[in-house]
Amino acid sequence: MNDPDLSDLNAFVAITKVRSFRAAARLRGVSASALSEAIRRLEARLGVRLLNRTTRSVTVTEAGQRLLERLGPALGEIAGALDAINSFRDSPTGTLRLNVPTIVAMHVLPPIVARFLAAHPGITLEVVSNDTFIDVLAAGFDAGIRYDERLERDMIAVPIGPRTQHFVAAGAPAYFAARGRPEHPRDLLEHACIGHRFASGVLAAWRFERDGEQVRFTPNGPLVASVMELEVGAATAGLGMIYTFEEFLRPAIQSGALLPVLHEWWESFSGPFLYYQSRTHMPAPLRAFIDFIKED
């Protein structure tokens, strides 16, 4: 039996992490058919089935699980050894994969990414926007960016971007002319409020606080959406009030299309964090990014 190719073994590990040929192909930048061919070669050389494949799922066989248990640490050591050489370069090379919320992708990362890639031309950055909490390592990412209440305890967190952010309540001038301005968050119960539903299916609550008094309720109004551009457009059209990240509303507020209200009640919270798992051999692109944001 010929020894299996290292790239085929890597393909096998990548597929088992996400349980999908297509998802693994996207993460590795290859076609699903190329990964399928790699698994076919690997199974032929080993003489056993490693994966059970249907049109809807990919599961690991008992033989595949046994191989995976021994293979994962070994490939990690190989990757670490190769990447240790990368640290001797003037500028490291390789791919850095990040999973981040939409707000971060749109309003936090752009200026950071531009400067980072200019300083490290050998690095390719892949950013996937995701507003649900996932296991970033299992999904094939090197690190994630999330807000503090969603950080896993066994992760290392590094601040990135603004350290304080706000939710802002606002409405169109025409809306306030017709309905009046709320003077207290409780007044919002009598107003049309545009709701935001997360990918998880949860409808975002509106929370306000001032001098120890807290008000929290589920918005009720003519529109519930999961696309911020649609929600902001509805608010500027006068369909109802909106309450979301200040960054999403800033252009409309600056142009006068939206008017902020209840300023003293706005929710404030700490900015996002880059989080990653402590590893003996950290990939050089990730180390470069961590060093960059610490110095930025």
Side-chain angles (χ1 to χ4, degrees), residues 169 175 179-194 205-208 213-222 241 262:
Y175 175 84
R179 302 287 296 270
R181 293 195 183 201
E183 301 296 331
H184 190 282
R186 286 192 296 268
D187 297 340
L188 296 174
L189 296 174
E190 305 301 323
H191 280 261
C193 299
I194 296 169
W206 289 20
R207 296 178 294 188
F208 299 86
E213 181 183 0
Q214 297 182 350
V215 178
R216 183 181 187 276
F217 67 94
T218 301
N220 182 40
M241 292 184 56
L262 301 172

Side-chain angles (χ1 to χ4, degrees), residues 7 30 47 70 78-79 87 110-111 133 136 165 180 184 190 198 209 218 222 236 240 243 249 286:
S7 63
V30 299
R70 302 292 297 273
I78 292 173
S87 64
F133 193 73
V136 294
Q165 290 182 265
H184 190 282
E190 305 301 323
F198 295 112
E209 181 176 0
T218 301
T236 57
Y243 187 55
L249 301 183
L286 177 58

Side-chain angles (χ1 to χ4, degrees), residues 166-172 176 181-182 184-185 188 193 206-208 217 235 240-246 249 253 258-267:
H166 307 276
F167 268 27
V168 171
F176 290 136
R181 293 195 183 201
H184 190 282
L188 296 174
C193 299
W206 289 20
R207 296 178 294 188
F208 299 86
F217 67 94
M241 292 184 56
I242 190 170
Y243 187 55
T244 188
F245 285 95
E246 180 180 8
L249 301 183
I253 290 175
L258 289 177
L259 301 177
V261 294
L262 301 172
H263 183 278
E264 65 274 18
W265 289 90
W266 292 351
E267 181 182 9

Side-chain angles (χ1 to χ4, degrees), residues 62-128:
E62 183 178 355
Q65 185 62 40
R66 185 68 60 86
L67 175 63
L68 187 62
E69 291 171 356
R70 302 292 297 273
L71 198 57
L75 288 178
E77 286 297 317
I78 292 173
L82 294 175
D83 205 66
I85 305 301
N86 203 1
S87 64
F88 286 91
R89 301 175 184 269
D90 292 334
S91 178
T93 63
T95 299
L96 172 61
R97 298 179 176 89
L98 300 179
N99 185 281
V100 310
T102 302
I103 179 68
V104 171
M106 293 180 64
H107 295 283
V108 175
L109 279 184
I112 296 174
V113 165
R115 297 193 302 272
F116 173 70
L117 293 180
H120 298 282
I123 293 177
T124 297
L125 180 62
E126 293 186 15
V127 178
V128 173

